[in-house]
């Protein structure tokens, strides 16, 4: 057979296998909810190891294209094609079983690629990405084992090629399958079990809310009906008394919009209206046949087009026959129901045709016929949109909905419980389950390899002996035959039991370490108090409850007096023990209702309920009294006092930052008064309060009258001393305030919301000035602009920046934005999405003031940054403080390992410049190079430099 004909037959043989691969990829098998397996790789492996790499890669590309229609992206094509190529290449060089090679590929290449593509490019949550990676790995190993069996069958029965297999390989496949099949059954069983348990929790939550709705609406109807019934006591009296009582009744009943009194001819006799005296009631709702009070169906207000309902109470008195009608907005009643249990993941809405349509659509998406669906039972309502979206994401956006029918009320409600919080808990269980399955797979591969070796070695020894036996040896020598025993099986059993025991022990150790890590993430190790992060979470929850129930709260900022002296004189061990003793005292004084935090080295924050200044003052006096008592630590008797600043919610501030800030101001006032005392915050303590008000008033005018302008501070390459870029710094000259520092007006602009308009002005002006630089031939320079967190609140930020750059014809590569760690903290998801959008457009991102936040090194890994700017606080003492020098050098090394550019801020001397150059810092910025200048002065300086050059 000619090579050409052989090549054609190879492609012809691969064609049906490719079709099977496409079908088994497109019609995926759902193992349990949201986790589906693809089996097209089985046939791709058969093609690769039968017809060669070229045919296999072509088949893989075609078959994995089905994943694009399933998931809406091309990364599945890349991952699966790389798997086929890598396994083929490794098998050719090592000769190992494909199952082992698939595990090696996904462990060292596949899963990192999953994190890079899904988490890095697609923006998938870290939890979802982990699930996807583990699913790929388990799916790949299972496919490789199925391939090992199918490949034997394909060679023998389809191609009629009987190629002997090594006995060890056959045993390996057999033993691995024996161990793996129960693992896969356990995976399916446990996964579905976890899903059903979470679904039961969802249904219980929805059922509880449904009962509360029914009870609340029944109470509302009975109470308001009884109140309306009192009108008949006044109906026959003077109309003035009747109208007066009607007004009082209308003001006393919550949620009432209007009250009408119609006579038996349906003429309007009396009216109470919350907003206007224009009657709008839909008269046909008054049914003469109705002798008892009733609630009407939902209707529209003909003036406001709002959904309304009414309670109608008929009157059949001796002197008057008619109806009393009270109207209500459906929106107000829904707000009442939603406030009963204010959870973000539960929503009560009116049952209408739109919701019914969504329900029917969700039924069709689940493969059910909507005509036979029962809307009276709970169901999963999926969102609309692209059907090819990942099932995990679609389920996260779904809700468990349940229709609520209330006696005596003709309209129904829907209770929708968001699934996302339950899904996160479910996916954590999935990750543990996948991890356990992978460990079992690893152990099964090891045991299969070991068992096959034991059995094959005995057979191999026997084979060698029989081959060497000759008639002479048989006659003259005794043959030493290999011995076998049942004890090997016993040892195997004991080894397996030991492996399981070790696995359980490892899992226990991991759980113990996880608990410790969770504790360290929320508590201070020394004092067992909340750390800043945990304190902020707890206080935010307490402020939300205080706001809902109109309660007050006191925040105390406690700072120990002369604590540094104790540390310096008696040592840090004594200081730590003193802090532990003081934390116990504070805990005993404040009780369990207080939220305690170690805010700094010798600073504590205490949040506790307070009826007013008197109760907070009493607690502060008790703290001062007990803290000042001597404490025996080892051989020393230590006495310490503290100064306390107190801020009250909501009297002094309504935000966490405001409470801490005002308490901090009050604490410093207490220290100024001699320490060992407490002080409440008052406006007089803040000396610049009046100036702040003026700044707030003048900010808007400053933008309108063009009082702002930009200065630019150059950034230089420390090796070549050439200018590489500019940082735009805003300046404000006000005719009434004079020159105002950015440190003063930027926080005010952020609080008042003016920062967005101001920031847009800065971006536009910086782009315009960059255009000037380019027109003068300075194309190598770039300009950097600082971005506030308030600007990220609007999704339009990336689009606005690109529009401005297009307007001024400035390339995106010449424009940079600078953010601080404080921008990211607390707004991670909001900021990260927009940063990725800007990064995709080619805009460079710099992390400013690096080293002053909570978890700087973590942000270097997860944020799409290009530049790290070391804060000036580390540069100032870099020559005299070894710790600062070590920190700067470490940051430079870490940045270089991540291919990030490092810029040192606040460089003020030539010695600092030389030191930074020696330790490998890329760029510098500071007064030693140039002070900030207007664009005109900068252009002149650049022209002079180029003229001299």
């Amino acid at each position: 057979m000619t090579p050409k004909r052989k090549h054609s037959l190879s492609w012809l043989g691969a064609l049906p296998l490719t079709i099977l691969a496409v079908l088994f990829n497109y019609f995926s098998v759902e193992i349990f909810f949201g986790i589906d397996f693809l089996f097209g790789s089985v046939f791709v492996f058969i093609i690769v190891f039968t017809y060669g790499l070229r045919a296999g890669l072509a088949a893989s590309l075609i078959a994995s294209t089905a994943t694009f229609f399933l998931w809406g992206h091309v990364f599945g094509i890349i991952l699966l094609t790389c798997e086929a190529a890598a396994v083929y290449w490794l098998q050719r060089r090592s000769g190992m079983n494909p199952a082992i090679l698939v595990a090696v590929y996904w462990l060292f290449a596949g899963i990192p690629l999953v994190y890079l593509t899904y988490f890095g490019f697609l923006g998938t949550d870290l939890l979802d990405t982990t699930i996807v990676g583990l699913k790929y790995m388990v799916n790949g190993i299972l496919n490789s084992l199925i391939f090992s069996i199918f490949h034997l069958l394909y060679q023998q029965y389809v191609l009629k090629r009987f190629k002997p297999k090594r006995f060890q390989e056959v045993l390996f496949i057999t033993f691995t399958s024996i161990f793996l099949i129960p693992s896969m059954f356990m995976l399916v069983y446990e996964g579905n079990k976890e899903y059903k348990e979470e679904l039961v929790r969802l249904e219980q939550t929805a059922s509880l809310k449904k009962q509360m709705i029914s009870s609340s609406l029944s109470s509302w109807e009975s109470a308001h009906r009884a109140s309306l019934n009192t009108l008949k006591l006044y109906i026959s009296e003077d109309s003035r008394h009747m109208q007066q009582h009607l007004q009082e009744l209308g003001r006393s009943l919550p949620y009432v919009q209007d009250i009408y009194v119609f006579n038996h001819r349906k003429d309007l006799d009396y009216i109470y209206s919350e907003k206007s005296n224009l009657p709008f009631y839909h008269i046909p709702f008054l049914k003469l046949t109705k002798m008892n009070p009733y609630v009407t169906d939902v209707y529209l207000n003909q003036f406001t087009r709002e959904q309304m309902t009414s309670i109608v109470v008929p009157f059949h008195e001796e002197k008057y026959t008619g109806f009393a009608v009270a109207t209500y907005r459906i929106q107000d009643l829904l707000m009442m129901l939603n406030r009963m249990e204010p959870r973000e993941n539960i929503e009560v809405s009116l049952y209408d045709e739109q919701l019914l349509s969504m329900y029917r659509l969700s039924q069709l998406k689940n493969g059910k016929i909507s005509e036979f669906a029962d809307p009276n039972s709970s169901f999963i309502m999926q969102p609309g949109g692209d059907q090819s979206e990942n099932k995990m994401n679609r389920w996260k956006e779904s809700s468990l909905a349940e229709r609520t029918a209330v006696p005596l009320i003709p309209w129904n409600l829907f209770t929708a419980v968001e699934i996302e919080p339950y899904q996160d808990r479910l996916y954590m269980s999935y990750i543990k389950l996948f991890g356990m399955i992978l460990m079992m797979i690893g152990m099964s591969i090891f045991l299969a390899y070991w068992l096959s070796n034991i059995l094959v070695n005995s057979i191999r020894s026997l084979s060698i002996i029989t081959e060497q036996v000759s008639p002479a040896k048989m006659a003259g020598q005794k043959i030493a035959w290999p011995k076998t025993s049942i004890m090997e099986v016993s040892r195997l059993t004991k080894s397996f039991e030991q492996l399981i025991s070790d696995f359980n022990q490892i899992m226990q150790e991991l759980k113990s370490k996880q608990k410790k890590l969770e504790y360290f993430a929320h508590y201070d190790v020394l004092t067992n108090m909340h750390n800043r992060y945990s304190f902020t979470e707890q206080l935010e929850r307490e402020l939300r409850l205080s706001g809902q129930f109109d309660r007050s709260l006191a925040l105390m900022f406690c700072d120990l007096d002369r604590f540094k002296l104790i540390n310096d004189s008696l040592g840090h061990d004594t200081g730590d023990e003193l802090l532990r003793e003081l934390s116990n005292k504070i805990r005993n004084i404040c009780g369990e209702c207080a939220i305690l935090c170690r805010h700094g080295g010798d600073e504590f924050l205490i949040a506790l309920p307070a009826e007013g200044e008197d109760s907070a003052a009493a607690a502060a006096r008790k703290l001062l009294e007990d803290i000042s008592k001597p404490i025996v630590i080892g051989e020393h008797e230590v006495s310490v006092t503290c100064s306390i600043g107190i801020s009250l919610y909501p009297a002094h501030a309504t935000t966490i930052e405001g409470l801490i800030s005002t308490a901090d101001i009050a604490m410093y006032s207490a220290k100024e008064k001699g320490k060992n005392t407490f002080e409440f915050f008052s406006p007089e303590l803040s000396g610049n309060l009046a100036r702040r008000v003026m700044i707030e008033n003048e900010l808007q005018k400053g933008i309108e009258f063009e009082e702002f302008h930009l200065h630019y501070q150059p950034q230089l390459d420390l090796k070549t001393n050439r200018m590489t870029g500019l940082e735009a710094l805003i300046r404000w000259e006000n005719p009434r305030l004079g020159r105002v520092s950015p440190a003063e007006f930027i926080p005010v602009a952020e609080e008042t919301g003016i920062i967005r308009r101001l920031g847009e002005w800065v971006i536009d002006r910086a782009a315009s000035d960059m255009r000037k630089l380019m027109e003068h031939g300075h194309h190598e320079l770039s300009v950097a602009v600082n971005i506030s967190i308030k600007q990220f609140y609007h999704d339009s930020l990336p689009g606005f920046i690109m529009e401005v750059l297009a307007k001024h014809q400035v390339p995106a590569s010449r424009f940079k934005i600078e953010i601080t760690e404080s921008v990211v903290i607390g707004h991670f998801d909001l900021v990260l999405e927009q940063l990725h959008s800007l990064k995709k457009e080619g805009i460079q991102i710099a992390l400013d003031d690096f080293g002053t936040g909570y978890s700087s090194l973590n942000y270097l890994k997860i944020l799409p940054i290009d530049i790290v700017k070391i804060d000036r606080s580390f540069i100032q003492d870099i020559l005299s403080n070894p710790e600062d020098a070590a920190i700067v050098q470490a940051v430079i090394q870490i940045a270089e390992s991540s291919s990030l550019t490092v810029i040192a801020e606040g460089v003020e001397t030539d010695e600092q410049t030389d030191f930074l150059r020696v330790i490998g810092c890329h760029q510098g910025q500071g007064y030693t190079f140039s002070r900030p200048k207007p664009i005109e002065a900068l252009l002149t300086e650049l022209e002079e430099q180029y003229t001299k050059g």
Side-chain angles (χ1 to χ4, degrees), residues 882-899:
E883 292 182 359
D884 286 351
I887 291 173
V888 172
Q889 194 166 5
V891 171
I892 293 173
Q893 293 174 354
I894 294 172
E896 286 183 347
S897 67
S898 302
S899 301

Side-chain angles (χ1 to χ4, degrees), residues 629-698:
K629 293 178 181 179
I631 299 174
V632 177
I633 300 177
E635 300 176 354
H636 306 282
E637 185 177 78
V638 182
S639 296
V640 69
T641 61
C642 77
S643 301
I644 303 176
I646 307 175
S647 178
L648 298 178
Y649 170 89
H652 297 154
T654 57
T655 63
I656 295 176
E657 294 81 3
L659 285 170
I660 295 176
S661 175
T662 50
D664 191 16
I665 293 171
M667 183 271 293
Y668 278 107
S669 176
K671 282 187 176 293
E672 291 175 358
K673 290 186 177 182
K675 304 179 181 178
N676 194 25
T677 186
F678 66 89
E679 181 77 16
F680 283 94
F681 173 79
S682 63
E684 291 76 14
L685 295 178
S686 183
N688 61 349
L689 182 62
R691 179 173 174 82
R692 184 196 179 284
V693 174
M694 290 185 63
I695 290 174
E696 183 176 340
N697 294 333
E698 294 294 329

